[in-house]
Amino acid sequence: MSSTALHVVTGKGGTGKTTVAVALALALAGRGQRVLVCEVEGRQGIAQLLDVAPLPYEERRVASGLGGGEVFALAIDAESALLEYLDMFYRLGRAGKALDKFGVIDFATTIAPGVRDVLLTGKVYEIARRRGEKKDTGPQYDAIVIDAPPTGRITRFLNVSTEVAGLAKVGPIRRQSDSVTAMMRSDSTRVHLVTVLEEMPVQETLDGIAELTAAELPVGHVVVNLVRDALLDEAAASAIDEGSLDAEAVGAVLSSAGLDGSTATTLVAEGRGHLERQALQAAQRALLAESDARTAELPLLDGVDLGSLLDLAGRLREQGVA
Amino acid sequence: MSPSKSRTAPAAGRPRSQGRVVASRDAAGHLDVDALIHDRSVRIIVCCGSGGVGKTTTSAALAMRAADAGRGVCVLTIDPARRLAQSMGLTELDNTPRAVAGAGADGGSLDAMMLDMKRTFDEVVESHATPEKAAQILNNPFYQALSSSFAGTQEYMAMEKLGQLHGQDEWDLIVVDTPPSRSALDFLDAPERLSSMLDGRFIKLLLAPAKGPARLLSAGFGLVTGAINKILGAQVLSDVQTFVAAFDTLFGGFRQRAEATYALLQAPGTAFLVVASPEPAAMREASYFVERLAGDRMPLAGLVVNRVHDDVTDGIELDEARAAARRLRGAGETETQVAELLDVHVERLITAAREQRERDGFARAHPGVPQVPVTALSTDVHDLEGLRRIGDLLARTGTPQG
């Protein structure tokens, strides 16, 4: 029987992790899949992006009619996950409430190290193992996309069994975290890293790939986001470099076109700035190419709405991420 | 706001104030960074903001500029990029401020340090417990996990370190970078969370077998420990119990110092800078920070908007540039090249307009909070000169090119 594919989307803060996670979910749905996209950091980034009401601890359909697929969304929080877990496995209706009253829920979810991550990933594990309503219809979801914690924390987040190893050597938490880690390391999981073509995010991405690989976690695509297109072709670039396309030459063309020729100096300076940024992008792209990871690129768009998310989804499909 | 946030946010029950804005504006209405760092009554500047907005660079650049202006400065960074750390001589993580060579003028100086949260925690334990008790705590598995991997430890320890540095009284200005917390201002919650953990019934019950009358061991407690044993395994509970018992004597001191640091942050002499980039998500976070600081009555200096691409919008207007590019393209070699330059200009105008919308939106929501835009440099900062350039941009005395 086929299993649920798991796409974990991480990235440095500010690179557009949530946007890529949602676009990826839409891309998979566009292939006719039933997809769940979840967030685990209590930011409500998915809801804000899709312009829907804040997501509860309950799967909600947020998009449908895209090539037959559907997208559901869920905000996972550790407190709800713990109470649900207690109820599901221990029928701790009354004890669960007592635990809350004694401050144990707070303790377990905010102070006890590693437990929070086990609860968050444990919920994903539970959903991934669910079957559809009819017998032998396969999994309830074809794919789950996680808008995961940032690159600096991702290995720790996915490698929960190592995290709790020092703490819990036996017992259900240990068993649970071992099962979660096994799923994260399996063939059905891919960890995608979102980056932009700047020094720090690229370095963090390369470090992240090394860390994930060392922890035997499967690296998927590096999604290069917010790429600025080259607007000057080679001829224009070398003309600016050589100085033949200078303020005088540009000014003459502008004047003949009925524009203010005195703005030529600004235009040439802007052109140089653009070439400089393109060169920096190229240098960072080359650094990424040195790693073995497959890459996909997404352009910088002017604002994000459903239309542009679908545009990004299409590009992720074309480049084989979905 | 998520249930988890509202559950731990202590500000919710406190009266909302308008927020104290402590900084001045320059003639153009921007946040006057130089006035802030030249004000000798300002002893602590805290930079906060979401991840990836250049908070660490802003902290380092401010500290550098203050040192160059004659102040004795210490900058506490949390997780600097490798090359930025190297540029300040921070090659090893030794948890002690070190002088930065080449920084400071007019009698000013700059010391810098990176926070080592585990070592800070260990030092607190070692300096407040007997050697035997300290060894017992340091070897406890629960303590080891708590001090090295618990996400909130960094926030607690940043507060602890700030309190220590302030107590040393060696610097007349301390600039603090804050951890890129998932929930914005977790470090403000540190005293509150310590208190609630201390006063929590759970901890009291855990301690009860060791020191309390047996009647505390109610049926409820049996239910609770039973459940915990089921879920975590009995060994975890006994580790936690041993840890809590050993740590009990330290708790009071911890809470006291955390509360003192919290009061220090509220006091005159402290200024908060919120750092953002002109993107919707970062600006939303910035709004949340400003509101949260007001809720906690923390003194706010203003908003630093980093990575502003195009602060200047001179030259040909958008529609005209678009139309001209259409006309010129294909009309000849030079004409086509000029059309491409116009494309670059159009892109720049669009970016500038988008970023301006974000900044205007913030200004409308928080009219009392001065902003300063910092133009994006084309490369990351990896030397002291780079920090000085950022300092010039922050104080609006420099241009990105020069």
Side-chain angles (χ1 to χ4, degrees):
Chain A
M1 201 183 295
S2 66
S3 60
T4 302
L6 190 58
H7 294 270
V8 180
V9 181
T10 183
K12 187 175 160 56
T15 56
K17 192 164 58 73
T18 306
T19 307
V20 172
V22 171
L24 179 55
L26 291 169
L28 293 163
R31 294 207 180 285
Q33 298 190 2
R34 190 178 158 95
V35 187
L36 176 69
V37 53
C38 21
E39 66 171 38
V40 293
E41 296 195 293
R43 274 216 200 93
Q44 290 294 344
I46 297 172
Q48 272 158 357
L49 202 58
L50 291 171
D51 203 16
V52 297
L55 299 170
Y57 186 75
E58 186 186 284
E59 292 137 63
R60 286 266 165 94
R61 188 165 64 198
V62 290
S64 58
L66 320 144
E70 289 174 303
V71 178
F72 291 76
L74 168 70
I76 305 177
D77 68 275
E79 292 80 4
S80 309
L82 178 57
L83 288 171
E84 185 189 40
Y85 178 82
L86 292 174
D87 201 47
M88 203 184 287
F89 292 97
Y90 300 98
R91 313 249 167 256
L92 282 183
R94 193 162 82 89
K97 285 205 180 66
L99 286 171
D100 202 10
K101 207 175 78 190
F102 279 104
V104 178
I105 302 291
D106 245 4
F107 178 83
T109 55
T110 62
I111 294 165
V115 173
R116 187 177 191 92
D117 288 348
V118 181
L119 290 165
L120 298 171
T121 49
K123 175 68 181 173
V124 175
Y125 177 75
E126 179 263 312
I127 299 170
R129 286 170 55 93
R130 269 190 226 153
R131 300 287 113 188
E133 277 160 26
K134 287 181 218 143
K135 288 270 178 204
D136 37 86
T137 49
Q140 182 179 354
Y141 293 102
D142 299 302
I144 299 176
V145 179
I146 311 177
D147 179 9
T151 321
R153 244 174 54 70
I154 191 65
T155 304
R156 213 175 244 181
F157 178 73
L158 299 175
N159 214 6
V160 281
S161 69
T162 312
E163 277 303 290
V164 301
L167 196 64
K169 292 186 179 60
V170 291
I173 278 279
R174 184 57 205 264
R175 277 200 300 280
Q176 167 93 352
S177 61
D178 285 347
S179 315
V180 169
T181 300
M183 171 182 72
M184 295 300 179
R185 287 181 178 162
S186 77
D187 282 345
S188 51
T189 299
R190 290 285 173 273
V191 184
H192 307 291
L193 299 99
V194 183
T195 188
V196 293
L197 291 173
E198 288 170 25
E199 276 174 59
M200 250 203 282
V202 165
Q203 189 54 51
E204 231 176 77
T205 301
L206 294 172
D207 294 347
I209 292 173
E211 264 183 49
L212 289 164
T213 309
E216 296 168 51
L217 292 160
V219 175
H221 275 83
V222 170
V223 180
V224 181
N225 197 18
L226 312 177
V227 175
R228 285 169 177 248
D229 290 337
L231 298 172
L232 298 170
D233 65 13
E234 268 174 49
S238 53
I240 291 172
D241 271 346
E242 290 158 11
S244 61
L245 192 64
D246 59 3
E248 202 184 325
V250 174
V253 173
L254 289 176
S255 302
S256 72
L259 293 162
D260 180 2
S262 70
T263 60
T265 315
T266 307
L267 283 189
V268 175
E270 286 174 344
R272 285 190 191 284
H274 180 76
L275 291 175
E276 203 182 326
R277 278 196 299 273
Q278 288 294 318
L280 285 163
Q281 282 200 161
Q284 296 305 319
R285 198 179 269 131
L287 278 179
L288 284 175
E290 283 174 24
S291 82
D292 293 336
R294 289 165 293 173
T295 60
E297 295 203 357
L298 296 176
L300 171 69
L301 299 174
D302 186 30
V304 175
D305 54 20
L306 187 59
S308 54
L309 283 169
L310 289 169
D311 174 8
L312 296 178
R315 291 168 192 263
L316 288 173
R317 267 200 307 269
E318 284 161 21
Q319 298 176 81
V321 185
Chain B
M1 193 178 287
S2 74
S4 62
K5 256 186 197 166
S6 55
R7 193 188 174 104
T8 50
R14 290 194 193 133
R16 277 277 158 117
S17 74
Q18 268 291 303
R20 280 191 292 138
V21 179
V22 293
S24 45
R25 293 169 188 256
D26 64 14
H30 289 112
L31 167 66
D32 192 339
V33 168
D34 271 346
L36 183 69
I37 58 181
H38 282 93
D39 181 348
R40 299 223 163 227
S41 70
V42 174
R43 304 289 308 275
I44 295 175
I45 298 176
V46 185
C47 297
C48 48
S50 52
V53 296
K55 212 169 21 189
T56 305
T57 307
T58 299
S59 310
L62 267 177
M64 181 81 184
R65 190 170 180 87
D68 285 346
R71 300 199 65 180
V73 188
C74 179
V75 59
L76 169 58
T77 66
I78 306 295
D79 188 16
R82 214 172 301 155
R83 292 173 73 179
L84 176 63
Q86 281 167 358
S87 74
M88 293 194 291
L90 294 171
T91 43
E92 55 178 324
L93 195 88
D94 65 355
N95 215 26
T96 315
R98 301 272 171 208
V100 178
D106 290 338
S109 62
L110 176 62
D111 290 352
M113 70 163 287
M114 266 190 280
L115 179 75
D116 178 341
M117 65 168 178
K118 172 129 177 61
R119 194 183 300 209
T120 304
F121 211 151
D122 290 354
E123 283 167 5
V124 171
V125 171
E126 281 160 354
S127 63
H128 290 88
T130 60
E132 307 87 79
K133 204 157 217 179
Q136 201 188 346
I137 295 172
L138 297 181
N139 289 324
N140 183 283
F142 182 78
Y143 170 78
Q144 287 170 353
L146 184 74
S147 61
S148 58
S149 67
F150 166 48
T153 304
Q154 212 175 30
E155 284 79 16
Y156 290 13
M157 291 307 130
M159 286 282 278
E160 178 69 36
K161 200 73 204 178
L162 172 61
Q164 283 177 15
L165 293 174
H166 182 77
Q168 279 171 263
D169 208 22
E170 281 178 40
W171 301 275
D172 75 325
L173 176 66
I174 301 171
V175 180
V176 199
D177 176 22
T178 52
S181 288
R182 175 189 56 89
S183 43
L185 292 171
D186 272 0
F187 66 96
L188 291 179
D189 296 335
E192 202 72 49
R193 275 168 74 176
L194 273 173
S195 302
S196 72
M197 181 170 151
L198 271 174
D199 301 334
R201 295 177 67 185
F202 178 52
I203 296 293
K204 290 225 166 75
L205 285 169
L206 282 178
L207 287 169
K211 65 177 193 186
R215 65 187 161 79
L216 270 179
L217 290 170
S218 61
F221 183 59
L223 198 63
V224 169
T225 51
I228 290 179
N229 281 335
K230 259 195 214 163
I231 302 155
L232 290 170
Q235 165 245 338
V236 176
L237 190 63
S238 85
D239 281 346
V240 173
Q241 239 159 349
T242 317
F243 167 76
V244 170
F247 214 71
D248 188 36
T249 48
L250 289 184
F251 269 153
F254 245 100
R255 174 163 59 169
Q256 225 171 21
R257 283 196 309 284
E259 278 169 356
T261 311
Y262 186 86
L264 181 67
L265 292 176
Q266 281 182 326
T270 299
F272 280 81
L273 279 177
V274 175
V275 185
S277 62
E279 302 301 326
M283 292 302 260
R284 261 199 312 271
E285 285 288 292
S287 275
Y288 168 72
F289 278 71
V290 166
E291 282 155 25
R292 177 70 213 273
L293 288 169
D296 278 37
R297 293 195 219 120
M298 295 287 169
L300 174 67
L303 176 75
V304 173
V305 188
N306 275 334
R307 301 161 170 273
V308 170
H309 282 95
D310 300 293
D311 191 29
V312 202
T313 50
D314 55 355
I316 306 162
E317 280 179 29
L318 185 65
D319 290 341
E320 203 181 354
R322 269 191 179 137
R326 255 198 313 274
R327 278 204 311 277
L328 289 170
R329 206 181 313 275
E333 197 184 342
T334 313
E335 282 77 3
T336 301
Q337 291 172 356
V338 172
E340 289 173 11
L341 283 176
L342 287 166
D343 292 342
V344 172
H345 183 65
V346 165
E347 187 192 58
R348 191 172 174 246
L349 289 176
I350 290 172
T351 306
R354 185 180 61 233
E355 294 181 346
Q356 191 62 46
R357 273 199 305 278
E358 290 299 330
R359 291 172 49 205
D360 289 348
F362 180 92
R364 269 196 305 278
H366 308 280
V369 180
Q371 299 183 21
V372 61
V374 178
T375 309
L377 295 183
S378 46
T379 52
D380 283 349
V381 172
H382 353 87
D383 53 26
L384 300 185
E385 280 322 301
L387 286 178
R388 289 197 169 102
R389 277 170 73 195
I390 299 277
D392 283 339
L393 293 171
L394 273 165
R396 305 192 67 72
T397 54
T399 63
Q401 278 77 34

